[in-house]
Amino acid sequence: MTRLISKGPGVASSAQSPVVMIVDDDAAIRASLDSLFRSIGLETRLFSSPSELLGGTLPDGPACIVLDIRLPGVSGLDLQGQLTRQGIDFPIVFMTGHGDIPMSVRAMKAGAVDFLSKPFRDQDMLDAVTLALERDTQRRTQSAALDDLRAQYETLTSREREVMGYVTAGLMNKQVAGLMELSEITVKIHRGNVMRKMGVRSLADLVRKAEALGVSQTRGNTEQT
């Protein structure tokens, strides 16, 4: 690797320091990358094989994986597939000394952030890891927001969910009342409860939350997709 003066990654602040997991069977490469990432304040975890990574405790904060594509036994591409099947979606930066176009295409199609051929510049690695950590931070933020939405939705009664389905589909209170065989005033009460429990002040905001939840807006039972 060619050593350059490197700037720290622009990763969003977090209660936990971002972690870079390095998987390479070459101890010298692991040590070099460990030094590089620690020089800009990143925490690192080193693994000599995919089994070591899978057998360890994974970070529960922003993280990414720097992964050699050619490893004894389970390859980097195989590990990428295993992680995907297990629902582990840390961004991956691949590196290889024997890269070719089919490998890089397969890796990128499966969601890799970058594919660097050895020897690579330190700055190129830092840029790739910066992007990977930013993506993971964004993913975690979005996931936390969706969890909060789901928690709000769970507080609704079955009737309130039905009303939510109709009103976010564009029906007026009078129409909803006719479909549900309720009085219009009762629909208004349910609608008010929905707005309060979902933490919104406008129908537009409620529609956006329904879309984020994947709640059907065409059926009264408001199934989640």
Side-chain angles (χ1 to χ4, degrees):
M1 296 186 291
T2 302
R3 183 57 60 100
L4 298 179
I5 297 175
S6 307
K7 297 179 180 179
V11 180
S13 61
S14 171
Q16 296 176 312
S17 299
V19 177
V20 182
M21 293 172 279
I22 303 165
V23 186
D24 197 305
D25 61 324
D26 188 323
I29 294 293
R30 293 198 304 273
S32 180
L33 289 171
D34 178 50
S35 176
L36 173 65
F37 296 135
R38 286 186 179 277
S39 72
I40 59 170
L42 290 174
E43 180 182 342
T44 60
R45 299 186 188 179
L46 311 183
F47 306 92
S48 62
S49 67
S51 60
E52 281 190 12
L53 173 68
L54 293 172
T57 301
L58 297 175
D60 56 4
C64 70
I65 301 173
V66 175
L67 176 61
D68 189 9
I69 203 165
R70 290 184 182 271
L71 296 166
V74 178
S75 72
L77 287 175
D78 291 335
L79 175 59
Q80 182 185 34
Q82 287 185 29
L83 292 171
T84 298
R85 288 190 293 273
Q86 294 180 30
I88 301 171
D89 50 2
F90 291 115
I92 297 176
V93 175
F94 276 107
M95 54 184 178
T96 182
H98 311 279
D100 57 22
I101 292 176
M103 274 188 176
S104 62
V105 169
R106 178 181 167 189
M108 298 302 283
K109 282 186 175 180
V113 173
D114 210 337
F115 192 97
L116 303 178
S117 296
K118 301 174 184 176
F120 44 78
R121 300 189 313 157
D122 284 1
Q123 190 63 58
D124 290 339
M125 175 59 76
L126 289 174
D127 288 345
V129 165
T130 294
L131 177 58
L133 292 173
E134 287 174 344
R135 285 188 182 179
D136 198 49
T137 299
Q138 183 179 35
R139 175 184 67 82
R140 289 173 180 278
T141 299
Q142 293 172 342
S143 178
L146 184 56
D147 287 344
D148 289 342
L149 279 182
R150 287 172 175 157
Q152 289 177 324
Y153 187 74
E154 289 299 317
T155 66
L156 302 182
T157 66
S158 59
R159 275 290 174 88
E160 288 166 354
R161 294 182 188 184
E162 193 172 358
V163 168
M164 178 175 170
Y166 282 131
V167 299
T168 54
L171 276 66
M172 304 296 290
N173 289 342
K174 185 175 182 179
Q175 294 172 301
V176 177
L179 289 168
M180 295 182 65
E181 299 183 346
L182 299 172
S183 67
E184 190 172 348
I185 191 67
T186 299
V187 170
K188 288 182 179 179
I189 292 172
H190 285 315
R191 181 169 176 165
N193 289 339
V194 170
M195 301 287 281
R196 174 177 54 81
K197 291 181 180 181
M198 294 302 296
V200 297
R201 294 186 176 183
S202 69
L203 178 58
D205 288 339
L206 186 62
V207 169
R208 281 192 287 270
K209 288 196 171 186
E211 290 175 347
L213 285 165
V215 173
S216 171
Q217 298 178 16
T218 58
R219 300 176 62 179
N221 58 8
T222 61
E223 294 178 348
Q224 284 185 280
T225 57

